[in-house]
């Protein structure tokens, strides 16, 4: 396989570093106590909406459901035009075409999972074909998974080469690389996998598929954000971070934003650099925005189910 | 561009009041030092003068130790359960006014409120609770031995954990 990677795998060892697990958890726990109120909270909630990848990855998804979600993505709060649109609608490859047709040039982009999501256990040529088809159907962003089996067996070069090939298959589409941190077993491995993905050309690194019980956690987000910071220090190439899985309410979302702000700074508080992958988070954000403006909570039945 | 601001900590310096000057606490009352010398204590965060603190000399220390020795006679004559009641009362008073004490510790020592609020003050109260619990158990704690008080002791308290060192 010819690699046209921007960096070589040696970069991973050159940046190196290891994670103090207890320290990372304590720091994340301490950052979780920072409080954001009033105007800043409203701004943070608005930012969280703008950073949302509204996601539906179910076997029962249909073009109809995608159209419905697309209208929600473009106008999350039908009665309140001041609420911004989300960043992307994230779907399975078969549903990219209806999603692209529904979203048109609304500013909400189409993201598609690919490469045998969520396990990644299909042959490489099929995985790459999946990416090419999704891009051809109109996907602007591709969420791929790494081969955890190869990574855990120590075949870093395989993982690296596959990401390089995926990046090439993406063409102009943005590549997000899912590490599935819940399967990696340690913060050190999460850091290493992050560095491999970035060296191989990932535009974003992403925590989880959301398909296994252990998904995004604050310490994981911190460890990955620190890996990005170190990567940027050495290469000058800026990489985004997407946290996904299990983030259901605004309070948690704001904690992630605090970790990003304190680790990577203000420049990362934008949809170009940071995303939430979530399905039920958006409704809670809408509720909290309403509460923040009106001073009282609305009935949850006033928000759409999907 | 960004309107990212953290809310201020709920602890404010308004809740603590500090007198302009303090005396040496000897024999149950605040007295002036024999030398008449004071030094100023400042808030390291603002460099604002908080209060004037007396400088104790040999004469003052002799007086303090004398007063404490006298008090120790009455104190050790108390029933163990009564001694523990006093100490429990100190511990509870410390907890009740913990926010105020934490703010004072931070104003005086310059440490982050997180440290004084979450560590120093609760730990100081915990020490009093711990020893209050021991007061009526000393008799059984060391088999075949009788415990007796060591007597008055003098301590030089460092600047970084004043309340905790006292405990």
């Amino acid at each position: 396989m010819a690699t046209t990677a921007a960096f070589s795998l040696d970069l991973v060892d050159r940046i190196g570093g290891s994670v103090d697990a207890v320290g990372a958890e304590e720091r994340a726990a301490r950052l979780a106590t920072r409080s954001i109120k009033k105007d800043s909270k409203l701004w943070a909630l608005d930012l969280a909406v703008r950073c949302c990848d509204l996601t539906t990855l179910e076997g029962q998804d249909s073009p109809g459901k995608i159209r419905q979600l697309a209208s929600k993505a473009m106008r999350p709060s039908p009665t309140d035009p001041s609420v911004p649109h989300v960043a992307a609608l994230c779907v399975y490859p078969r549903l990219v075409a209806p999603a692209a047709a529904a979203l048109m040039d609304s500013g909400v982009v189409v993201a598609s999972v690919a490469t045998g999501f969520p396990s990644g256990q299909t042959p490489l040529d099929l995985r790459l074909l999946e990416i090419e088809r999704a891009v051809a159907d109109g996907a602007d962003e591709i969420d791929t998974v790494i081969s955890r089996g190869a990574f855990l067996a120590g075949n870093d070069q395989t993982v690296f080469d596959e990401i390089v090939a995926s990046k090439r298959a993406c063409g102009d589409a943005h590549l997000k690389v899912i590490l599935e941190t819940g399967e990696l077993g340690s913060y050190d491995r999460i850091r290493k996998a992050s560095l491999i993905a970035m060296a191989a050309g990932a535009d974003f690194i992403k925590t989880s598929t959301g398909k296994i019980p252990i998904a995004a956690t604050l310490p994981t987000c911190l460890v990955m954000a620190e890996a990005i910071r170190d990567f940027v220090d050495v290469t000058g190439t800026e990489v985004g971070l997407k946290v996904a899985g299990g983030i259901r309410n605004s309070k948690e979302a704001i904690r992630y934003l605090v970790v990003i702000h304190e680790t990577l700074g203000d420049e990362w508080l934008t949809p170009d650099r940071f995303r939430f992958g979530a399905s039920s988070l958006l409704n809670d954000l809408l509720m909290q925005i309403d509460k923040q403006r009106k001073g009282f909570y609305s009935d949850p039945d006033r928000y759409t189910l999907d | 561009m960004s309107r990212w601001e953290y809310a201020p900590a709920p602890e404010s310096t308004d809740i603590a009041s500090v007198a302009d000057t303090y005396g040496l606490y000897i024999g149950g009352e605040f007295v002036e030092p024999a030398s008449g010398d004071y030094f100023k204590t400042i808030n390291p965060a603002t460099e604002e003068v908080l209060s004037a603190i007396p400088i104790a000399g040999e004469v003052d220390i002799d007086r303090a130790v004398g007063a404490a020795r006298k008090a120790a006679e009455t104190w050790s004559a108390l029933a163990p359960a009564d001694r523990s009641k006093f100490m429990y009362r100190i511990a509870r008073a410390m907890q009740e006014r913990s926010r105020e004490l934490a703010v004072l510790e931070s104003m005086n020592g310059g440490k982050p409120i997180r440290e004084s609020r979450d560590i120093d003050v609760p730990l100081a109260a915990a020490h009093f609770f711990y020893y209050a619990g021991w007061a009526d158990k000393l008799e059984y704690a060391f088999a075949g031995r009788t415990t007796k008080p060591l007597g008055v002791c003098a301590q030089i308290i460092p600047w970084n954990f004043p309340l905790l060192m006292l405990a």
Side-chain angles (χ1 to χ4, degrees):
Chain A
M1 195 187 324
T3 60
T4 49
F7 307 100
S8 74
L9 188 56
D10 305 340
L11 183 64
V12 174
D13 283 336
R14 194 142 60 78
I15 297 172
S18 62
V19 181
D20 167 3
V22 176
E25 281 165 12
E26 278 202 357
R27 177 154 173 79
R30 196 192 297 181
L31 290 177
T33 66
R34 301 298 292 267
S35 83
I36 300 270
K37 290 198 163 71
K38 301 189 184 107
D39 275 1
S40 289
K41 183 168 184 183
L42 206 49
W43 187 82
L45 292 169
D46 183 272
L47 172 68
V49 172
R50 285 188 283 127
C51 290
C52 244
D53 280 5
L54 190 59
T55 303
T56 182
L57 297 168
E58 306 287 341
Q60 63 196 359
D61 289 347
S62 63
K65 182 177 174 188
I66 298 303
R67 275 192 293 277
Q68 185 192 333
L69 269 183
S71 65
K72 180 160 183 169
M74 293 186 282
R75 188 80 177 269
S77 178
T79 53
D80 184 354
S82 71
V83 175
H85 64 70
V86 303
L89 181 60
C90 184
V91 298
Y92 270 124
R94 273 214 318 171
L95 297 162
V96 167
L103 292 170
M104 293 185 290
D105 55 355
S106 61
V108 180
V109 300
V110 182
S112 169
V113 297
T115 68
F117 181 93
S119 66
Q121 300 283 30
T122 50
L124 181 61
D125 49 349
L126 294 185
R127 277 184 269 155
L128 298 178
L129 187 64
E130 205 183 353
I131 295 176
E132 284 160 12
R133 284 284 293 278
V135 174
D137 281 353
D140 307 283
E141 301 179 349
I142 301 290
D143 290 31
T144 64
V145 292
I146 63 165
S147 298
R148 279 88 77 191
F151 177 75
L152 292 172
N155 299 327
D156 298 346
Q157 190 68 51
T158 309
V159 177
F160 180 83
D161 290 342
E162 287 182 359
I163 299 171
V164 171
S166 303
K167 173 73 182 164
R168 206 173 43 225
C170 280
D172 290 335
H174 269 230
L175 173 67
K176 302 195 200 115
V177 176
I178 304 172
L179 309 178
E180 194 64 305
T181 53
E183 287 185 352
L184 300 186
S186 77
Y187 293 125
D188 278 334
R189 291 197 202 120
I190 293 172
R191 179 180 170 86
K192 190 175 180 191
S194 304
L195 293 174
I196 292 176
M198 288 187 284
D203 296 303
F204 264 75
I205 52 174
K206 174 175 167 185
T207 58
S208 327
T209 59
K211 296 292 182 196
I212 64 164
I214 310 168
T217 66
L218 265 195
T220 305
C221 173
L222 176 68
V223 168
M224 289 171 68
E226 284 176 347
I228 291 176
R229 189 185 59 195
D230 296 348
F231 185 80
V232 175
D233 278 350
V234 173
T235 65
T237 303
E238 293 178 342
V239 179
L241 177 59
K242 175 170 171 181
V243 292
I247 305 157
R248 295 201 172 77
N249 61 49
S250 308
K251 199 173 203 169
E252 286 172 72
I254 288 177
R255 285 175 182 167
Y256 282 97
L257 293 175
V258 170
V259 168
I260 295 303
H261 181 262
E262 295 301 308
T263 314
L264 292 163
D266 256 358
E267 307 93 89
W268 257 259
L269 295 182
T270 137
D272 296 338
R273 296 261 177 280
F274 182 71
R275 296 284 178 83
F276 288 110
S279 41
S280 50
L281 171 65
L282 185 58
N283 267 3
D284 193 66
L285 289 170
L286 297 178
M287 261 179 92
Q288 295 296 333
I289 289 173
D290 275 353
K291 191 256 170 183
Q292 210 59 25
R293 289 198 179 137
K294 297 176 185 162
F296 56 87
Y297 280 105
S298 305
D299 186 341
D301 285 346
R302 295 178 66 91
Y303 303 90
T304 51
L305 289 176
D306 277 318
Chain B
M1 164 197 118
S2 158
R3 283 197 275 136
W4 190 266
E5 267 173 41
Y6 295 109
E11 290 83 1
S12 106
T13 52
D14 303 344
I15 62 169
S17 63
V18 185
D20 289 341
T21 158
Y22 285 91
L24 297 164
Y25 193 65
I26 297 175
E29 55 189 346
F30 285 104
V31 297
E32 281 188 28
S35 65
D37 292 339
Y38 288 80
F39 71 96
K40 288 186 164 49
T41 176
I42 61 157
N43 178 347
T46 60
E47 302 206 346
E48 171 197 352
V49 175
L50 292 174
S51 182
I53 309 280
I55 301 175
E58 211 176 326
V59 185
D60 303 301
I61 292 171
D62 285 347
R63 272 169 66 200
V65 171
R69 284 214 171 110
K70 212 169 131 219
E73 288 169 21
T74 343
W75 173 250
S76 46
L78 282 177
D82 289 329
R83 284 207 304 273
S84 72
K85 277 184 204 162
F86 278 101
M87 291 171 71
Y88 276 127
R89 176 60 66 85
I90 295 174
R92 278 198 300 270
M94 235 176 224
Q95 285 187 327
E96 279 159 15
R97 300 179 66 173
S98 58
R99 180 167 280 200
E100 197 179 334
L101 288 169
V103 167
L104 279 170
E105 286 273 83
S106 280
M107 284 167 74
N108 181 36
K111 60 173 63 186
I113 185 69
R114 185 182 161 268
E115 210 169 296
S116 50
R117 179 194 61 202
D118 299 350
I119 300 166
D120 294 16
V121 177
L123 210 52
H127 272 85
F128 276 102
F129 274 118
Y130 176 79
Y131 290 108
W134 267 115
D136 59 356
K137 297 175 189 69
L138 289 171
E139 244 181 282
Y140 319 103
F142 308 99
R145 287 180 177 225
T146 337
T147 55
K148 58 178 199 298
L150 207 58
V152 174
C153 69
Q155 270 188 66
I156 296 171
I157 303 285
W159 64 273
N160 57 345
F161 286 97
L163 193 64
L164 189 56
M165 294 303 289
L166 172 149

